[in-house]
Amino acid sequence: MSESAFGIRPGEVATELPPGYDAGVYFIGRIRTPWKRREECPKNARESDAACTIEVDERFARALAGIETCSHLLVLYWMDKSRRDLVLQVPRNRSGTRGTFALRSPARPNPIAASVVRLVRVNGRQLSVVGLDCLDGTPLVDLKPYFASTDAVPEAVVGWHAERDQPA
Amino acid sequence: MSESAFGIRPGEVATELPPGYDAGVYFIGRIRTPWKRREECPKNARESDAACTIEVDERFARALAGIETCSHLLVLYWMDKSRRDLVLQVPRNRSGTRGTFALRSPARPNPIAASVVRLVRVNGRQLSVVGLDCLDGTPLVDLKPYFASTDAVPEAVVGWHAERDQPA
């Protein structure tokens, strides 16, 4: 009941958010996916090979020049359905309480997700990509070329997540 | 002259930004680096093994619980010195005009940088990390655990960047 009433589970802790924002974000497009409700979303992006479509707004269309030469992109998007004040969380699918910055949970002070996607095709200002797990209609915040030289660290370890190496 | 007057180089194109922001960002801490001016910053993070310090604000300190078990983090920060309306850019160190979304340039509609760092030590709400190339005092936006399973793509290619695989 406390969960449905306040969106917070036993063991979770909220902080007081700052009185105002420090900067502003433009939504520069939308992400189209097959998933209309959170329960339908794959638990993480590697669970699905569904092609999703990133649609960039007309005013930013020219900023896509050259992106078709990239095999992979880093996509930043805004998870606008999440509360922002949780500092300790109890992931639904795992035991234990962890700090927000040790989790990939959408509930965080700035609900910006970062996902690596494979770029399949560019068609005007629509990009077909594989590797997203977000809700249909999610606002797009940024697209970046993925550089293996600086972005790929295959040996990285998340110690608390020993049993299984999938984001929670 | 046009560059100094308008901060735009021949071949670069600006768009009209939306009339207002769609969402707000909290600065959740600051990044301390050895670099006080942009000319001093390493051209990219792999050029430097300087240890930098991420200082998380007191109100978010508890959100660090468990982060000490991560070998690497994804750090999001706000590049607040950059113009946001460029869609085509001419990188200073390369020839050719490219779209903003094909570049890692700080000039972008939402000036959020994403850097992978190695976590060296956690001391209270201060994190010692290696792998940043930003100005001292840069506002922190988010910290995430880096999962090799979803975040590492060693075979990724940026086609336009054939000669040398370093971000521009």
XYZ file of all heavy atoms in Angstrom, chain A residues 77-129:
423
model
N 18.134 9.855 -23.655
C 16.704 10.163 -23.694
C 16.185 10.425 -22.296
O 16.845 10.140 -21.294
C 15.911 9.085 -24.421
C 16.091 7.672 -23.920
C 15.258 7.148 -22.926
C 17.075 6.835 -24.453
C 15.400 5.838 -22.477
C 17.217 5.531 -24.002
C 16.386 5.047 -23.017
O 16.537 3.759 -22.567
N 15.017 11.016 -22.237
C 14.463 11.521 -20.988
C 13.375 10.579 -20.478
O 12.371 10.369 -21.150
C 13.868 12.911 -21.220
C 13.573 13.662 -19.966
C 12.361 13.751 -19.328
C 14.487 14.458 -19.192
N 12.474 14.541 -18.212
C 13.769 14.992 -18.108
C 15.850 14.758 -19.321
C 14.365 15.820 -17.149
C 16.435 15.580 -18.373
C 15.692 16.104 -17.303
N 13.596 10.021 -19.302
C 12.626 9.072 -18.728
C 11.637 9.853 -17.862
O 11.768 9.935 -16.642
C 13.393 8.012 -17.939
C 14.367 7.246 -18.846
S 15.423 6.071 -17.966
C 16.543 7.210 -17.105
N 10.649 10.412 -18.540
C 9.837 11.449 -17.905
C 8.748 10.909 -16.987
O 7.959 11.703 -16.461
C 9.244 12.382 -18.965
C 8.458 11.625 -20.032
O 8.432 10.375 -19.977
O 7.882 12.276 -20.904
N 8.694 9.603 -16.784
C 7.659 9.055 -15.905
C 8.182 8.751 -14.493
O 7.464 8.171 -13.689
C 7.098 7.757 -16.500
C 6.555 7.878 -17.916
C 5.117 8.406 -17.924
C 4.521 8.334 -19.317
N 5.119 9.372 -20.214
N 9.402 9.108 -14.192
C 10.030 8.638 -12.952
C 10.147 9.735 -11.902
O 10.343 10.901 -12.235
C 11.436 8.113 -13.259
O 11.385 7.132 -14.263
N 10.060 9.326 -10.631
C 10.331 10.294 -9.582
C 11.823 10.551 -9.502
O 12.637 9.709 -9.845
C 9.727 9.855 -8.242
C 10.205 8.534 -7.718
C 9.450 8.151 -6.454
N 9.686 9.102 -5.370
C 8.958 9.179 -4.263
N 7.924 8.373 -4.097
N 9.236 10.049 -3.323
N 12.188 11.739 -9.026
C 13.580 12.181 -9.112
C 14.258 12.305 -7.760
O 15.431 12.689 -7.693
C 13.624 13.531 -9.850
C 13.080 13.396 -11.266
C 12.988 14.725 -11.996
N 14.283 15.336 -12.243
C 14.479 16.327 -13.118
N 13.453 16.786 -13.830
N 15.666 16.862 -13.278
N 13.559 11.990 -6.687
C 14.112 12.281 -5.355
C 14.656 11.055 -4.623
O 15.134 11.179 -3.493
C 13.054 12.974 -4.489
C 11.799 12.136 -4.316
O 11.673 11.081 -5.000
O 10.937 12.529 -3.515
N 14.642 9.872 -5.244
C 15.120 8.673 -4.538
C 16.651 8.637 -4.515
O 17.297 8.757 -5.553
C 14.607 7.401 -5.212
C 13.109 7.126 -5.126
C 12.795 5.765 -5.756
C 12.630 7.158 -3.680
N 17.214 8.443 -3.327
C 18.665 8.257 -3.235
C 19.025 6.799 -2.940
O 20.067 6.309 -3.361
C 19.312 9.198 -2.190
C 19.342 10.624 -2.732
C 18.600 9.141 -0.854
N 18.160 6.100 -2.200
C 18.336 4.658 -2.000
C 17.141 3.951 -2.618
O 15.988 4.369 -2.430
C 18.433 4.322 -0.507
C 19.704 4.790 0.214
C 19.619 4.470 1.708
C 20.953 4.130 -0.391
N 17.421 2.860 -3.349
C 16.351 2.153 -4.044
C 16.468 0.647 -3.824
O 17.559 0.126 -3.606
C 16.408 2.423 -5.554
C 16.291 3.893 -5.905
C 16.219 4.136 -7.409
O 15.515 3.445 -8.141
N 16.965 5.118 -7.873
N 15.330 -0.020 -3.930
C 15.261 -1.474 -3.856
C 14.782 -1.958 -5.221
O 13.584 -1.923 -5.496
C 14.286 -1.936 -2.753
C 14.245 -3.455 -2.697
C 14.699 -1.365 -1.402
N 15.715 -2.367 -6.079
C 15.301 -2.798 -7.425
C 14.269 -3.924 -7.329
O 14.425 -4.844 -6.520
C 16.596 -3.282 -8.070
C 17.686 -2.574 -7.333
C 17.181 -2.433 -5.920
N 13.252 -3.839 -8.141
C 12.137 -4.774 -8.100
C 12.596 -6.213 -8.279
O 12.062 -7.117 -7.668
C 11.159 -4.411 -9.228
C 9.712 -4.745 -8.987
C 8.874 -4.257 -10.165
N 8.738 -2.795 -10.185
C 7.678 -2.156 -9.691
N 6.673 -2.826 -9.167
N 7.615 -0.846 -9.721
N 13.597 -6.403 -9.141
C 13.975 -7.763 -9.520
C 15.184 -8.295 -8.763
O 15.716 -9.325 -9.093
C 14.266 -7.801 -11.020
C 15.311 -6.753 -11.413
O 15.323 -5.647 -10.888
N 16.194 -7.120 -12.303
N 15.655 -7.556 -7.742
C 16.826 -8.002 -6.999
C 16.605 -7.725 -5.526
O 15.803 -6.896 -5.159
C 18.085 -7.251 -7.449
C 18.350 -7.331 -8.928
C 19.688 -6.711 -9.243
N 20.763 -7.532 -8.722
C 21.363 -8.480 -9.407
N 20.993 -8.733 -10.629
N 22.329 -9.173 -8.874
N 17.402 -8.378 -4.688
C 17.323 -8.078 -3.269
C 18.360 -7.026 -2.919
O 19.353 -6.859 -3.624
C 17.564 -9.352 -2.455
O 18.852 -9.842 -2.732
N 18.108 -6.297 -1.838
C 19.109 -5.343 -1.365
C 18.788 -3.918 -1.761
O 18.145 -3.655 -2.775
N 19.245 -3.013 -0.903
C 19.070 -1.579 -1.130
C 20.360 -1.019 -1.700
O 21.443 -1.329 -1.200
C 18.759 -0.891 0.218
O 17.551 -1.440 0.740
C 18.595 0.606 0.041
N 20.267 -0.206 -2.731
C 21.470 0.389 -3.314
C 21.252 1.857 -3.627
O 20.141 2.315 -3.814
C 21.870 -0.328 -4.603
C 21.961 -1.792 -4.382
C 22.783 -2.541 -5.372
N 22.496 -3.950 -5.155
C 23.117 -4.699 -4.261
N 24.083 -4.210 -3.540
N 22.778 -5.961 -4.103
N 22.365 2.566 -3.707
C 22.302 3.968 -4.064
C 21.907 4.145 -5.530
O 22.249 3.327 -6.383
N 21.197 5.215 -5.784
C 20.731 5.514 -7.140
C 21.876 5.531 -8.150
O 21.728 5.058 -9.281
C 20.003 6.871 -7.129
O 18.810 6.722 -6.356
C 19.657 7.355 -8.521
N 23.060 6.047 -7.740
C 24.170 6.168 -8.698
C 24.885 4.845 -8.928
O 25.780 4.754 -9.777
C 25.165 7.239 -8.235
C 24.547 8.611 -8.098
C 24.931 9.466 -7.069
C 23.569 9.048 -8.982
C 24.366 10.730 -6.937
C 22.985 10.314 -8.861
C 23.389 11.157 -7.829
N 24.504 3.798 -8.179
C 25.013 2.450 -8.438
C 24.026 1.641 -9.270
O 24.238 0.454 -9.507
C 25.310 1.734 -7.119
N 22.938 2.277 -9.705
C 21.877 1.609 -10.458
C 21.635 2.326 -11.785
O 21.905 3.518 -11.913
C 20.566 1.629 -9.661
C 20.546 0.896 -8.324
C 19.280 1.250 -7.536
C 20.611 -0.612 -8.555
N 21.018 1.586 -12.733
C 20.590 2.210 -13.985
C 19.096 2.515 -13.958
O 18.508 2.823 -14.995
C 20.931 1.301 -15.173
C 22.428 1.148 -15.425
C 23.102 2.419 -15.917
N 22.996 2.598 -17.329
C 23.989 2.427 -18.197
N 25.194 2.067 -17.782
N 23.815 2.630 -19.471
N 18.498 2.436 -12.805
C 17.077 2.741 -12.637
C 16.695 4.073 -13.277
O 17.471 5.038 -13.223
C 16.778 2.800 -11.136
O 15.604 3.522 -10.878
N 15.487 4.171 -13.839
C 15.040 5.459 -14.384
C 14.785 6.512 -13.310
O 14.762 7.707 -13.622
C 13.742 5.109 -15.123
C 13.325 3.775 -14.606
C 14.558 3.078 -14.121
N 14.601 6.091 -12.072
C 14.385 7.052 -10.982
C 15.733 7.597 -10.544
O 16.531 6.892 -9.916
C 13.677 6.362 -9.816
N 16.001 8.867 -10.873
C 17.266 9.510 -10.536
C 17.074 11.015 -10.639
O 16.138 11.485 -11.276
C 18.400 9.008 -11.435
C 18.100 9.000 -12.911
C 18.934 7.936 -13.688
N 20.311 7.897 -13.276
C 20.889 6.808 -12.703
N 20.208 5.688 -12.562
N 22.140 6.855 -12.305
N 17.984 11.799 -10.022
C 17.776 13.254 -9.995
C 17.548 13.849 -11.382
O 16.684 14.709 -11.558
C 19.061 13.790 -9.358
C 19.667 12.656 -8.609
C 19.181 11.392 -9.241
N 18.340 13.393 -12.352
C 18.134 13.794 -13.739
C 17.849 12.533 -14.550
O 18.771 11.742 -14.802
C 19.369 14.522 -14.275
C 19.608 15.825 -13.546
O 18.739 16.702 -13.542
N 20.756 15.957 -12.897
N 16.589 12.325 -14.923
C 16.202 11.036 -15.515
C 16.612 10.904 -16.974
O 15.782 10.749 -17.866
C 14.675 11.038 -15.347
C 14.300 12.483 -15.373
C 15.450 13.232 -14.742
N 17.934 10.952 -17.170
C 18.512 10.833 -18.511
C 19.078 9.431 -18.655
O 19.967 9.043 -17.913
C 19.632 11.862 -18.719
C 19.094 13.287 -18.515
C 20.239 11.716 -20.113
C 20.189 14.330 -18.375
N 18.548 8.670 -19.613
C 19.089 7.344 -19.893
C 20.140 7.446 -20.974
O 20.057 8.300 -21.854
C 17.975 6.415 -20.351
N 21.132 6.566 -20.898
C 22.174 6.471 -21.929
C 22.185 5.042 -22.435
O 22.452 4.118 -21.666
C 23.531 6.850 -21.348
N 21.877 4.850 -23.720
C 21.859 3.508 -24.302
C 22.700 3.454 -25.557
O 22.655 4.362 -26.388
C 20.418 3.101 -24.684
O 19.644 2.854 -23.550
N 23.455 2.374 -25.682
C 24.229 2.141 -26.900
C 23.344 1.367 -27.874
O 22.780 0.333 -27.510
C 25.503 1.332 -26.594
C 26.309 1.122 -27.866
C 26.333 2.036 -25.533
N 23.228 1.877 -29.087
C 22.404 1.200 -30.086
C 23.214 0.926 -31.338
O 24.202 1.607 -31.628
C 21.162 2.038 -30.490
C 20.297 2.327 -29.275
C 21.551 3.319 -31.208
N 22.773 -0.077 -32.068
C 23.328 -0.345 -33.395
C 22.481 0.393 -34.419
O 21.254 0.294 -34.388
C 23.319 -1.862 -33.653
C 23.883 -2.259 -35.002
C 24.170 -3.764 -35.063
N 22.988 -4.587 -34.831
C 22.075 -4.869 -35.770
N 22.198 -4.408 -36.999
N 21.031 -5.617 -35.483
N 23.145 1.148 -35.257
C 22.423 1.927 -36.271
C 22.205 1.050 -37.499
O 23.166 0.587 -38.126
C 23.234 3.176 -36.639
C 22.645 4.083 -37.711
C 21.254 4.590 -37.313
C 23.582 5.258 -37.993
N 20.943 0.818 -37.831
C 20.611 -0.071 -38.945
C 20.446 0.710 -40.248
O 20.940 0.303 -41.294
C 19.313 -0.852 -38.642
C 18.915 -1.736 -39.820
C 19.481 -1.676 -37.370
N 19.761 1.853 -40.156
C 19.439 2.584 -41.387
C 19.083 4.017 -41.039
O 18.485 4.287 -39.999
C 18.260 1.911 -42.091
C 18.011 2.359 -43.523
C 16.923 1.517 -44.211
N 15.714 1.435 -43.401
C 15.307 0.352 -42.734
N 15.987 -0.763 -42.810
N 14.206 0.376 -42.028
N 19.444 4.921 -41.937
C 19.014 6.315 -41.817
C 18.116 6.627 -43.000
O 18.489 6.378 -44.150
C 20.225 7.273 -41.817
C 19.766 8.721 -41.665
C 21.208 6.903 -40.709
N 16.944 7.133 -42.709
C 15.993 7.477 -43.762
C 15.499 8.890 -43.468
O 14.575 9.075 -42.678
C 14.843 6.461 -43.757
C 13.884 6.694 -44.905
O 14.120 7.546 -45.759
N 12.784 5.965 -44.908
N 16.141 9.873 -44.089
C 15.794 11.264 -43.778
C 16.107 11.556 -42.324
O 17.230 11.357 -41.879
N 15.095 11.962 -41.562
C 15.358 12.239 -40.145
C 14.863 11.121 -39.235
O 14.686 11.304 -38.041
C 14.798 13.600 -39.741
C 13.352 13.821 -40.057
C 13.000 15.319 -39.972
N 11.600 15.550 -40.301
C 10.598 15.428 -39.430
N 10.836 15.088 -38.189
N 9.347 15.649 -39.799
N 14.675 9.940 -39.829
C 14.322 8.751 -39.057
C 15.483 7.769 -39.060
O 16.001 7.413 -40.105
C 13.080 8.091 -39.650
C 11.835 8.976 -39.565
C 10.572 8.178 -39.762
O 10.572 7.185 -40.488
N 9.491 8.603 -39.115
N 15.838 7.327 -37.844
C 16.917 6.352 -37.691
C 16.329 5.043 -37.189
O 15.617 5.022 -36.188
C 17.943 6.844 -36.666
C 18.994 7.867 -37.115
C 18.331 9.147 -37.596
C 19.947 8.161 -35.976
N 16.637 3.965 -37.881
C 16.248 2.644 -37.409
C 17.408 2.078 -36.597
O 18.536 2.004 -37.094
C 15.923 1.752 -38.608
O 15.551 0.472 -38.171
N 17.128 1.699 -35.346
C 18.195 1.249 -34.450
C 17.760 0.004 -33.683
O 16.574 -0.254 -33.508
C 18.591 2.351 -33.427
C 19.014 3.642 -34.135
C 17.465 2.614 -32.448
